[in-house]
Structure formats: structure tokens, C-alpha cells
């Protein structure tokens, strides 16, 4: 997961815009995870198990967990990139 966001620079080579894009996508993780989880749970309930609220509830919970997981990985990435930027500024 550490290499997925490598070299997120704009045309001028400023890494702050790439970090801003990563930070702004963190909120979408908390929306998309539960929506996708609930949708998949609903579809499993309707077409496979015929147990309406159970699959959708489990899907929402798994979606929330996935959203928090993605936010954790993004925050660790932002932390590492900020440390690299701070080190480069100290060298100058």
C-alpha cells in the first residue's frame, strides 16, 4: 500500500497538491464503503439468502470498517510524506 500514491506531483513538481488530493479523498472513503457494503448486502439478501435485514446490516458494518481502514492507510501515507517534506526543508 505504501507505493500506491508515489509521485503525486503537479506539473511544477509541487508534492503538496498530490497530498491535498489524498487528504480530500479520505472523506469519500467513509461514504463509499458503507454504500457499497449495504448494496452488496442487500443484493445478497434479495437474490441469495432471502434474509432481508441481516445481509444489509452486515454489509454496512463491513463497509464502515473498510472506510476506516482506508482512512488509516491514507493518514499513514500523508504522515510519511509530510515527514519527507520536513526533512527536505531542513536540508535547505
Amino acid at each position: 500500500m505504501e507505493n500506491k500514491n508515489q509521485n503525486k506531483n503537479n506539473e511544477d513538481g509541487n508534492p503538496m497538491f498530490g497530498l491535498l488530493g489524498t487528504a480530500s479523498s479520505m472523506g469519500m472513503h467513509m461514504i463509499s464503503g458503507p454504500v457499497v457494503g449495504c448494496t452488496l448486502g442487500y443484493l445478497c439478501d434479495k437474490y441469495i439468502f432471502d434474509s432481508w435485514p441481516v445481509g444489509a446490516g452486515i454489509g454496512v458494518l463491513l463497509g464502515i470498517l473498510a472506510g476506516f481502514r482506508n482512512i488509516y492507510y491514507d493518514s499513514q501515507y500523508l504522515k510519511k510524506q509530510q515527514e519527507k517534506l520536513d526533512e527536505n526543508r531542513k536540508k535547505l
Side-chain angles (χ1 to χ4, degrees), residues 1-21:
M1 291 305 278
E2 294 175 8
N3 294 330
K4 79 170 190 169
N5 293 325
Q6 293 290 330
N7 299 326
K8 281 193 161 185
N9 299 335
N10 69 349
E11 292 113 19
D12 299 331
N14 189 350
M16 293 304 292
F17 289 106
L19 296 178
L20 182 63

Side-chain angles (χ1 to χ4, degrees), residues 60-77:
V60 167
L61 292 177
L62 290 176
I64 290 171
L65 289 175
F68 277 118
R69 176 191 165 274
N70 289 336
I71 286 176
Y72 174 75
Y73 283 131
D74 282 344
S75 66
Q76 293 300 311
Y77 170 76

Side-chain angles (χ1 to χ4, degrees), residues 31-71:
I31 301 299
S32 63
V35 168
V36 170
C38 184
T39 303
L40 291 176
Y42 170 76
L43 292 174
C44 286
D45 281 340
K46 186 171 182 173
Y47 295 110
I48 297 174
F49 300 120
D50 195 30
S51 61
W52 155 233
V54 176
I58 291 172
V60 167
L61 292 177
L62 290 176
I64 290 171
L65 289 175
F68 277 118
R69 176 191 165 274
N70 289 336
I71 286 176

